[in-house]
Amino acid sequence: MIAALAQIGRCGEARAVFESMPGRDSLSWNGIISGYSSSSDGRRGAIDALRGMALDGSRPDRVTFLAVLGACTSSGSLGEALEIFGLIRDHGLDPAPEHFSCVVDMLGRSGRLRETQDLIEQMPDLPSQSQWASLLSSCTIHRDVKLGEIAARRVSENASEAGAARISLRNIYAVAATSLQSR
């Protein structure tokens, strides 16, 4: 009920229901945090709830951190997302691929492409095609041909994605060529 109220923009009511609960566990905290995360201006509420969760003695889990990272991603708050990403290990958890995907997306969109590549390559598990595809998309936006070629090769390792990778790479070349011609 808490998450549903927050998701439809009734965050005040969701918070009131949450506050009226006699005992809160990680499930109820995750409900309010997820609700904030999917509301239009939920980043602040999600981060505040994460801090409240710690003060309450509840232990955040991977779901908690994914919801807060999602709120940061939606609002474009890269600095806070990086801070939250660092907290995952501070709480004795290993970041899951979904946590990495949020940060990969944000770093790439912000133009920090080398950091994005480094993060992907430092993942403890093999990076997914979607993480490399996210970097490829960011290379198109930011006109980075060299890194785009690397990302396209990695995406193309999955035969079903090879065609899309070639199209993205052609787009990078076209944007780069247009940029050179306009100089």
Side-chain angles (χ1 to χ4, degrees):
M1 181 167 164
I2 295 167
L5 285 169
Q7 287 172 355
I8 60 171
R10 296 166 62 181
C11 292
E13 290 175 58
R15 187 67 186 200
V17 169
F18 177 77
E19 293 293 339
S20 72
M21 296 175 66
R24 298 178 198 113
D25 58 10
S26 61
L27 188 61
S28 55
W29 279 105
N30 283 346
I32 192 74
I33 291 170
S34 294
Y36 279 128
S37 294
S38 51
S39 70
S40 61
D41 188 28
R43 175 189 51 83
R44 181 79 281 146
I47 291 172
D48 288 346
L50 175 64
R51 290 185 179 122
M53 183 180 194
L55 292 173
D56 192 47
S58 293
R59 184 180 164 100
D61 58 19
R62 286 188 174 97
V63 173
T64 311
F65 286 111
L66 187 58
V68 178
L69 283 171
C72 292
T73 300
S74 295
S75 67
S77 301
L78 176 59
E80 287 177 314
L82 293 173
E83 182 182 327
I84 299 301
F85 187 72
L87 289 176
I88 296 171
R89 283 203 169 91
D90 292 348
H91 283 85
L93 301 169
D94 291 325
E98 296 82 9
H99 300 120
F100 280 97
S101 292
C102 286
V103 178
V104 162
D105 178 57
M106 291 192 73
L107 282 170
R109 284 191 287 145
S110 72
R112 294 165 66 172
L113 302 178
R114 296 291 172 207
E115 289 176 68
T116 306
Q117 179 188 17
D118 291 345
L119 182 64
I120 291 172
E121 291 175 346
Q122 292 169 9
M123 289 179 60
D125 297 323
L126 287 176
S128 70
Q129 297 299 317
S130 67
Q131 289 150 344
W132 284 110
S134 178
L135 176 58
L136 179 57
S137 176
S138 295
C139 288
T140 303
I141 293 166
H142 297 287
R143 302 174 182 162
D144 189 323
V145 174
K146 286 182 121 176
L147 191 51
E149 290 172 339
I150 292 168
R153 265 195 308 277
R154 298 304 295 265
V155 171
S156 295
E157 289 172 0
N158 179 341
S160 67
E161 301 293 326
R166 282 193 295 274
I167 291 168
S168 293
L169 194 54
R170 272 191 228 131
N171 290 341
I172 294 173
Y173 292 144
V175 168
T178 302
S179 178
L180 287 173
Q181 289 173 355
S182 67
R183 288 184 184 173

